[in-house]
């Protein structure tokens, strides 16, 4: 009868809803557990020494989307020639970024107008960023200053790619956290001061510096590996670099 038919349909719908609710609950519980287990302080203590600035070795530590319950993994190493290898696996299920970062040695970047990277990429678009060193993550109250860094797919043995990043290209970003991207009016409130920057880093993220999605052609989709080699990072003092 029609009544039995609608009863069966209703039961089927309710069963599906309850199943999805359980699955969502399990997923959120997994994210919550990963957030609680993520130890940013331990990551900083396990920093890896590589490259130099002002003749001082830089100490690189990882910060990935585990800080907000994601499942991406960063694996940075240094080879025998001193090249820093930023690699790992992105998992877009519940996250979508990995990064390595280092504290800046004194006296910082106040007297410079940009940085120059010597690198070999994999065709993905990464981001270079500077921060004032305050606690990072989805609930950060201050922006990081970011710039997109497209890369060409280069294999070992090919020439290194030289990329200059004037500080004038950096824009304020709050990443993918609840703070969201600043509005145009809010952006005007933030003024970049190289002398206040205490930390720099490289990131691969599903979001570009301006908050737009990083296209799958220059990011990836699902679960995928990435690889970026960094041979050097040098400050730029040429006044024309800020143009």
């Amino acid at each position: 009868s029609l009544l039995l038919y609608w009863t069966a349909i209703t039961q089927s719908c309710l069963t599906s809803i309850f199943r999805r609710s359980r699955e969502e609950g399990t997923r959120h519980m997994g994210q919550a557990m990963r957030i609680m287990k993520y130890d940013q302080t331990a990551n900083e203590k396990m920093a890896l020494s590589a490259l130099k600035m002002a003749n001082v070795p830089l100490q690189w530590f990882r910060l990935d989307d585990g800080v907000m319950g994601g499942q991406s993994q960063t694996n940075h190493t240094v080879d025998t020639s001193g090249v820093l290898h930023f690699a790992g696996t992105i998992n877009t299920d519940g996250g979508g970024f990995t990064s390595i970062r280092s504290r800046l040695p004194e006296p910082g970047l106040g007297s410079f107008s940009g940085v120059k990277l010597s690198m070999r990429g994999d065709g993905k678009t990464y981001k270079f960023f500077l921060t004032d060193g305050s606690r990072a993550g989805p609930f950060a109250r201050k922006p990081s200053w970011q710039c997109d860094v497209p890369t060409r797919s280069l294999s070992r043995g090919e020439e290194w790619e030289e990329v200059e990043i004037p500080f004038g290209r950096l824009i304020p970003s709050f990443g993918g956290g609840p703070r969201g991207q600043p509005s145009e009016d809010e952006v005007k409130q933030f003024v970049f001061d190289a002398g206040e920057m205490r930390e720099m880093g490289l990131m691969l993220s599903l979001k570009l510096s301006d908050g737009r999605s990083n296209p799958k052609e220059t990011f990836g989709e699902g679960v995928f590996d990435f690889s970026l080699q960094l041979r050097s990072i040098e400050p730029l003092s040429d006044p024309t670099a800020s143009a």
Side-chain angles (χ1 to χ4, degrees), residues 37 82 221:
K37 291 181 179 180
E221 54 185 340

Side-chain angles (χ1 to χ4, degrees), residues 10 48-49 63 69 75 89 99 105 130 144 156 203:
T10 301
L48 191 65
S49 181
L63 180 70
N75 179 28
T89 302
S99 74
L130 291 169
S144 63
R156 186 179 296 274
M203 176 185 297

Side-chain angles (χ1 to χ4, degrees), residues 11 61 92 109 115 166 174 209:
Q11 289 177 335
F61 62 95
T92 57
L109 297 171
V115 296
F174 283 90
S209 298

Side-chain angles (χ1 to χ4, degrees), residues 5-25:
Y5 171 77
W6 283 113
T7 299
I9 290 295
T10 301
Q11 289 177 335
S12 176
C13 289
L14 289 173
T15 298
S16 178
I17 291 171
F18 290 145
R19 183 181 297 115
R20 287 199 300 269
S21 296
R22 288 196 299 271
E23 291 173 352
E24 280 295 304

Side-chain angles (χ1 to χ4, degrees), residues 81-95:
S81 60
V83 172
L84 176 62
H85 193 190
F86 173 34
T89 302
I90 290 279
N91 188 332
T92 57
D93 181 12

Side-chain angles (χ1 to χ4, degrees), residues 226-240:
F226 66 93
S227 175
L228 179 70
Q229 295 174 291
L230 189 64
R231 182 174 64 170
S232 65
I233 180 166
E234 303 172 359
L236 292 173
S237 55
D238 183 354
T240 62

